[in-house]
Amino acid sequence: MSEIERKPILYSAVQPSGVLTIGNYIGALRNFKLLSDDYDCLFCMADLHALTVRQVPAELRRHTAEVAALYIACGLDPEKNIIYAQSHVHQHAELAWILNCFTYDGELRRMTQFKDKSARHADNINAGLLTYPVLMAADILLYQTAVVPVGADQKQHLELSRDIAERFNSLYGDVFVVPEPYISKSAGARVMSLTDPTAKMSKSGEPDSFISMVDDADAIRRKIRRAVTDSDGEIRVDAENKPGVTNLITITAAMSGRTPDEVCASLQGQGYGALKDAATQAIIDTLSPIQSEYKRLVADKAFIAETLKNGAERASALANRTLRKVYKKVGLYQL
């Protein structure tokens, strides 16, 4: 395990509760391969987190394998990086219980996501929904994580992770590394819903509101063609007054490796049809090779299973080191 410890640890997790979107790709996935040069990276399929909302068991299992295949298809080397499922490493749940005892009810009830999800799932406001951020803290602190790539919707949870780590350290010494947020250089390229460009693109939205990483060319064309624009007709970046057009420019720029200004210049004097055509082509050109590799990988069930098994073993070895230290600090008798 000495090789994994030479660089700072970077930790990232995603719920395998559905297909990943181009928003996930632009905001995170496309940068992960580069990050693995500077950090020792753990990429987790957070299947335990997904249980706060009722899941179809067969679909959750399938999506877990699919996300792993997609990570690898996007260029992540499973030998260089640790790719694993959260539920395969029992230390996550064990540390979460300990950290629950160092987290206050008021802190959890102030979490914006708890309020939002409680409103959306009023018939299922379960305890897991409330303590979700503590499990997230356990995910991060378990590996002595130095940096965590976060979007705007997760900053509050990371702040709580930092508070819990500092609270624990003040009582028991330097047990946990206090993680820092990693803000991607493409953080400004926030991808919004195609049908409501004032809201973030999400895999839990309406089917036409997002483009998944596995959508075929016809689906991509159809969804971009239906994307909301405006009646202005001018192609320019103006998030406040032209959110739909700005979103299409952002997507086109990110997928084609250009700046938004370069995209606007290339389409000067043309209409929204040309912008939508450019966005469609940029997405298809980027996703096509990824999708080909993904289809090959996801069909190889033995390879995916072995990758997740190997990842869980490597993650568990690291996690156990931290958990044993925590158990000793809080006074649990150990065999």
Side-chain angles (χ1 to χ4, degrees), residues 94 320 323-325 327-328 331-335:
E94 292 177 42
N320 205 44
L323 190 63
R324 282 189 355 219
K325 188 175 183 180
Y327 275 12
K328 183 177 180 181
L332 297 181
Y333 185 93
Q334 299 188 61
L335 301 174

Side-chain angles (χ1 to χ4, degrees), residues 14 16 42-47 60-72 76-79 81-90 92 143 297-298 300-317:
V14 65
L42 292 102
F43 298 107
C44 172
M45 276 62 73
D47 48 357
L60 181 59
R61 284 190 288 271
R62 189 183 77 248
H63 287 319
T64 300
E66 289 172 349
V67 172
L70 198 51
Y71 272 3
I72 299 167
L76 288 180
D77 182 347
E79 296 297 324
N81 304 280
I82 297 178
I83 300 172
Y84 74 104
Q86 186 183 30
S87 63
H88 296 168
V89 180
H90 60 84
H92 284 261
Y143 299 103
L297 290 167
V298 83
D300 191 344
K301 291 181 170 58
F303 171 77
I304 296 298
E306 184 60 29
T307 295
L308 292 178
K309 180 174 181 288
N310 179 260
E313 289 171 352
R314 292 163 66 196
S316 196

Side-chain angles (χ1 to χ4, degrees), residues 96-114:
W97 171 252
I98 301 289
L99 297 185
N100 266 316
C101 300
F102 293 85
T103 308
Y104 302 120
D105 179 75
E107 290 177 308
L108 297 177
R109 292 187 186 280
R110 283 195 296 272
M111 293 288 114
T112 303
Q113 278 205 350
F114 173 67

Side-chain angles (χ1 to χ4, degrees), residues 16-306:
S17 51
V19 289
L20 299 185
T21 72
I22 59 169
N24 298 120
Y25 177 76
I26 291 169
L29 276 172
R30 66 176 179 163
N31 300 312
F32 283 166
K33 185 177 179 182
L34 295 175
L35 290 173
S36 65
D37 292 333
D38 298 320
Y39 298 95
D40 283 322
C41 300
L42 292 102
F43 298 107
C44 172
M45 276 62 73
D47 48 357
L48 294 177
H49 280 296
L51 297 179
T52 59
V53 176
R54 296 288 174 261
Q55 302 289 333
V56 178
E59 289 182 2
L60 181 59
R61 284 190 288 271
R62 189 183 77 248
H63 287 319
T64 300
E66 289 172 349
V67 172
L70 198 51
Y71 272 3
I72 299 167
C74 286
L76 288 180
D77 182 347
E79 296 297 324
K80 186 176 182 180
N81 304 280
I82 297 178
I83 300 172
Y84 74 104
Q86 186 183 30
S87 63
H88 296 168
V89 180
H90 60 84
Q91 292 91 339
H92 284 261
E94 292 177 42
L95 182 58
W97 171 252
I98 301 289
L99 297 185
N100 266 316
C101 300
F102 293 85
T103 308
Y104 302 120
D105 179 75
E107 290 177 308
L108 297 177
R109 292 187 186 280
R110 283 195 296 272
M111 293 288 114
T112 303
Q113 278 205 350
F114 173 67
K115 296 175 183 177
D116 291 346
K117 287 191 175 182
S118 294
R120 291 205 309 271
H121 304 282
D123 59 337
N124 184 28
I125 305 175
N126 56 72
L129 203 59
L130 180 65
T131 60
Y132 177 107
V134 184
L135 179 56
M136 181 174 168
D139 298 340
I140 295 165
L141 301 181
L142 197 53
Y143 299 103
Q144 304 298 340
T145 301
V147 293
V148 183
V150 288
D153 56 340
Q154 293 292 345
K155 283 182 182 176
Q156 193 181 32
H157 286 171
L158 182 60
E159 281 304 315
L160 181 63
S161 300
R162 288 171 52 82
D163 290 345
I164 294 170
E166 289 170 349
R167 185 175 300 150
F168 196 95
N169 288 351
S170 71
L171 292 169
Y172 300 109
D174 293 331
V175 178
F176 296 121
V177 170
V178 179
E180 297 288 342
Y182 176 86
I183 308 300
S184 167
K185 292 176 182 176
S186 61
R190 193 157 185 250
V191 180
M192 312 303 281
S193 163
L194 298 176
T195 55
D196 177 11
T198 63
K200 180 183 173 183
M201 182 179 285
S202 170
K203 60 189 176 185
S204 61
E206 292 298 317
D208 280 349
S209 71
F210 66 88
I211 292 173
S212 90
M213 290 292 292
V214 296
D215 276 343
D216 61 28
D218 287 341
I220 294 167
R221 287 190 190 94
R222 184 184 72 253
K223 291 179 181 183
I224 292 293
R225 190 164 58 243
R226 295 176 178 175
V228 170
T229 51
D230 55 48
S231 58
D232 182 313
E234 185 181 353
I235 299 173
R236 72 175 192 277
V237 175
D238 183 347
E240 184 176 347
N241 298 305
K242 299 171 70 66
V245 173
T246 300
N247 190 39
L248 289 174
I249 293 168
T250 297
I251 291 170
T252 307
M255 288 299 206
S256 62
R258 292 180 288 170
T259 67
D261 285 345
E262 287 171 339
V263 170
C264 292
S266 70
L267 296 169
Q268 189 173 17
Q270 301 182 58
Y272 292 156
L275 173 59
K276 290 184 174 183
D277 287 344
T280 299
Q281 197 59 51
I283 295 166
I284 292 172
D285 288 347
T286 299
L287 294 189
S288 182
I290 294 171
Q291 290 175 348
S292 294
E293 180 65 1
Y294 165 78
K295 288 174 185 174
R296 184 186 71 80
L297 290 167
V298 83
D300 191 344
K301 291 181 170 58
F303 171 77
I304 296 298
E306 184 60 29

